[in-house]
Amino acid sequence: LNQRIDRPFGIDRSEFGDRMYFLFTAVVVVVIAAVVYQIGKGKLGGMWRFVAFSERGTAAAGTKVRNAKLSAFGVSAFIGGLAGGLTVGQIGQVSSVSFQTGGSLGLFVLCIVVGAHFIDMAFFGAILFVFVPEILKQFGLPLEWANVVFGVLGVQALTSNSTLGDQIRSGLRKLKRHGATAQPVSAHLEEVDLERTSAIFTTTGQPLLEVKNVTVRFGELRALDDVSLTVYDREVVGLIGPNGAGKSTMIDTITGFLTDYEGTITLDGKPMEGLAPDRRAHEGIRRTFQQDRVPSSMTVGQYMRLMAHGKSTPTEIDEILSYFGCPPAHTPLRVVDVGSRRIVEVAANVASKPVVLLLDEPAAGLSHDEHIVFGNQLKKIPQKYGISVLLIEHDLDLVRSVCSKLVVLNFGGVLASGNQAEVLRDPEVLKAYMGEKVGE
Ligand code: ADP
Ligand code: MG
């Protein structure tokens, strides 16, 4: 094993010696950095950022979490392999001493400390990795101390949940300050004129999403108890009910995040049983989440393209963004406030042109004025984009103005369902949903 390994011809020791090898390595590093930078800007990079931020969000967008992770692993392993080869060429022999656990761990921690997903920080980390031991050597301290230093910095980075790269970037942003935040959606309060839009879809009255006798148990608790509901072609159905009634569980079940349920779910007559969330997303069931799952490391446009999976052209994406009053495509999502980000999430799912869109309290972060505007936009989604909507919403004014039909859940069971006006007059519903407000 301790055989001497010669460098390949052209970069061998004889002619130019180590200087040439250093240059060769530097060129490889620059090429790799350029390629990684390109990948980071592209679709694959977007997928990686998304899966690092939220696996559920990734799956809901129709991307296989496994593929996203495997491709990241494959590319990293390839680069690691190259680096290993270069190291062997440098030392001139293969030896496990060059790749010991402690050293690898130190390097890994250093990557976390500096934020090695930023390319400049990766270079900075490499410099630290070389120079900290050198400095220790100067002072006659044992080299193991370098790992202790990295370890302490690593604990600091993990507890503060921010890397050196993040800190430097946010510091620079504060210095610049101007253009710091995007306009919230309320900046676009004008009404949308449906007559001017190109296509107007009309309902065929066909049942599209059919949920039949679904029961979900969490131990003793029946989060859903024999629930049936139908969303017909191009209508907005409201799913309402008090907190804990099972609304989010219903969406998790329809979208395939909860696999353990009794009953059947069909989309356009096709059974969804046994299909993973990303498959159901491809079939045309898309959702938004009650919690923010929009990765702040992307721009609005990158996120829209990633979510749309090529189903919308750039022009259509811009049109959808402006329809929902979202910030323009080049805006970084980190400067978009949480309420508006939820609307961007809705817009991105519309851009994927699903059959049904399930919205879990999309208006939760909006002001009252924004609520009204959003309601108007929501109401027209079926006609404008040909998409049916199942909407979870607490604001009964919004529900009244947007939904044609309602399903009311209470303690996991269907309390009432049918036409909106009838359901909202039902005394049982008033009692369960508004509690003490009955009799007002
Ligand atoms: P809603 O969205 O209507 O407010 P949820 O669907 O989130 O309600 O929750 C319905 C019920 O199921 C609640 O009682 C909740 O505590 C319970 N629940 C939800 N998810 C889980 C889980 N993963 N494990 C155990 N119980 C859960
Ligand atoms: Mg919920």
Side-chain angles (χ1 to χ4, degrees):
L1 259 183
N2 281 340
Q3 241 179 350
R4 188 131 197 97
I5 294 176
D6 286 326
R7 295 171 193 163
F9 179 75
I11 46 171
D12 51 27
R13 275 160 223 283
S14 57
E15 247 183 284
F16 301 97
D18 287 343
R19 178 180 294 266
M20 191 67 190
Y21 193 71
F22 174 76
L23 280 180
F24 174 72
T25 308
V27 169
V28 173
V29 169
V30 170
V31 170
I32 292 284
V35 171
V36 168
Y37 180 71
Q38 281 306 322
I39 294 179
K41 282 206 304 188
K43 194 177 165 206
L44 204 53
M47 231 160 79
W48 293 345
R49 258 188 284 257
F50 205 177
V51 82
F53 179 75
S54 165
E55 291 188 14
R56 278 163 66 86
T58 308
T63 301
K64 264 203 166 49
V65 170
R66 189 188 58 202
N67 292 359
K69 286 182 172 178
L70 257 184
S71 57
F73 179 76
V75 171
S76 320
F78 175 76
I79 297 171
L82 276 186
L86 288 171
T87 309
V88 168
Q90 185 201 352
I91 309 168
Q93 64 183 26
V94 183
S95 159
S96 63
V97 179
S98 340
F99 308 99
Q100 272 180 339
T101 321
S104 303
L105 213 56
L107 193 56
F108 179 61
V109 171
L110 191 64
C111 286
I112 292 172
V113 170
V114 294
H117 54 289
F118 302 118
I119 287 184
D120 49 334
M121 295 314 286
F123 279 101
F124 179 65
I127 291 170
L128 279 188
F129 193 65
V130 174
F131 276 95
V132 170
E134 285 301 323
I135 292 168
L136 291 176
K137 227 187 273 177
Q138 290 288 314
F139 289 95
L141 294 165
L143 288 189
E144 282 73 28
W145 282 50
N147 285 344
V148 176
V149 173
F150 297 151
V152 170
L153 290 174
V155 170
Q156 151 72 16
L158 287 177
T159 46
S160 67
N161 196 16
S162 119
T163 68
L164 200 59
D166 292 321
Q167 280 163 14
I168 291 175
R169 273 163 172 74
S170 80
L172 287 179
R173 272 201 297 278
K174 265 187 209 131
L175 276 182
K176 281 201 226 153
R177 195 147 286 242
H178 59 82
T181 52
Q183 288 185 324
V185 281
S186 57
H188 314 260
L189 282 179
E190 78 269 20
E191 269 271 335
V192 180
D193 181 5
L194 191 66
E195 272 60 58
R196 274 186 314 170
T197 63
S198 46
I200 296 180
F201 296 93
T202 47
T203 178
T204 59
Q206 236 178 320
L208 285 184
L209 176 70
E210 290 182 279
V211 175
K212 285 193 185 133
N213 310 102
V214 164
T215 298
V216 171
R217 292 168 225 264
F218 295 119
E220 289 296 294
L221 177 83
R222 282 178 182 227
L224 292 176
D225 192 1
D226 200 23
V227 175
S228 299
L229 66 86
T230 306
V231 178
Y232 290 88
D233 186 27
R234 282 148 209 175
E235 66 175 4
V236 182
V237 176
L239 183 60
I240 65 173
N243 273 327
K247 305 182 296 296
S248 295
T249 304
M250 188 75 253
I251 289 200
D252 279 349
T253 312
I254 295 172
T255 49
F257 284 93
L258 262 173
T259 47
D260 205 9
Y261 61 89
E262 293 158 31
T264 57
I265 294 163
T266 55
L267 182 71
D268 211 0
K270 186 175 174 187
M272 292 291 115
E273 277 67 55
L275 296 185
D278 60 280
R279 287 301 323 156
R280 294 192 190 194
H282 271 293
E283 294 292 336
I285 305 181
R286 297 286 293 248
R287 69 172 294 180
T288 65
F289 290 91
Q290 194 168 0
Q291 292 86 22
D292 181 31
R293 292 204 201 261
V294 180
S296 56
S297 56
M298 294 182 201
T299 64
V300 171
Q302 283 171 334
Y303 174 69
M304 292 290 289
R305 283 193 297 279
L306 195 71
M307 295 287 286
H309 274 286
K311 294 277 172 60
S312 287
T313 63
T315 325
E316 285 176 311
I317 286 180
D318 286 341
E319 189 276 328
I320 292 169
L321 282 175
S322 80
Y323 176 72
F324 286 101
C326 295
H330 61 81
T331 318
L333 279 162
R334 69 181 143 68
V335 303
V336 179
D337 69 281
V338 178
S340 307
R341 228 186 269 178
R342 311 277 320 269
I343 306 305
V344 174
E345 189 186 9
V346 174
N349 280 292
V350 168
S352 78
K353 302 192 174 160
V355 179
V356 279
L357 180 53
L358 318 178
L359 303 173
D360 200 343
E361 300 188 30
L366 299 180
S367 71
H368 182 69
D369 285 351
E370 291 167 338
H371 236 93
I372 292 167
V373 176
F374 181 61
N376 279 324
Q377 295 160 346
L378 212 54
K379 191 158 44 177
K380 291 166 190 163
I381 288 181
Q383 293 143 281
K384 190 163 160 50
Y385 298 105
I387 299 169
S388 310
V389 178
L390 181 68
L391 170 73
I392 298 182
E393 175 55 48
H394 275 301
D395 184 336
L396 285 186
D397 289 336
L398 188 73
V399 167
R400 206 170 272 124
S401 79
V402 173
C403 305
S404 49
K405 292 190 188 134
L406 286 182
V407 176
V408 188
L409 288 182
N410 198 22
F411 298 113
V414 177
L415 188 67
S417 74
N419 285 330
Q420 179 243 107
E422 286 166 34
V423 169
L424 287 181
R425 272 200 304 268
D426 189 327
E428 283 295 312
V429 172
L430 294 177
K431 202 165 93 192
Y433 197 68
M434 305 211 264
E436 58 279 19
K437 277 199 214 158
V438 169
E440 249 180 16

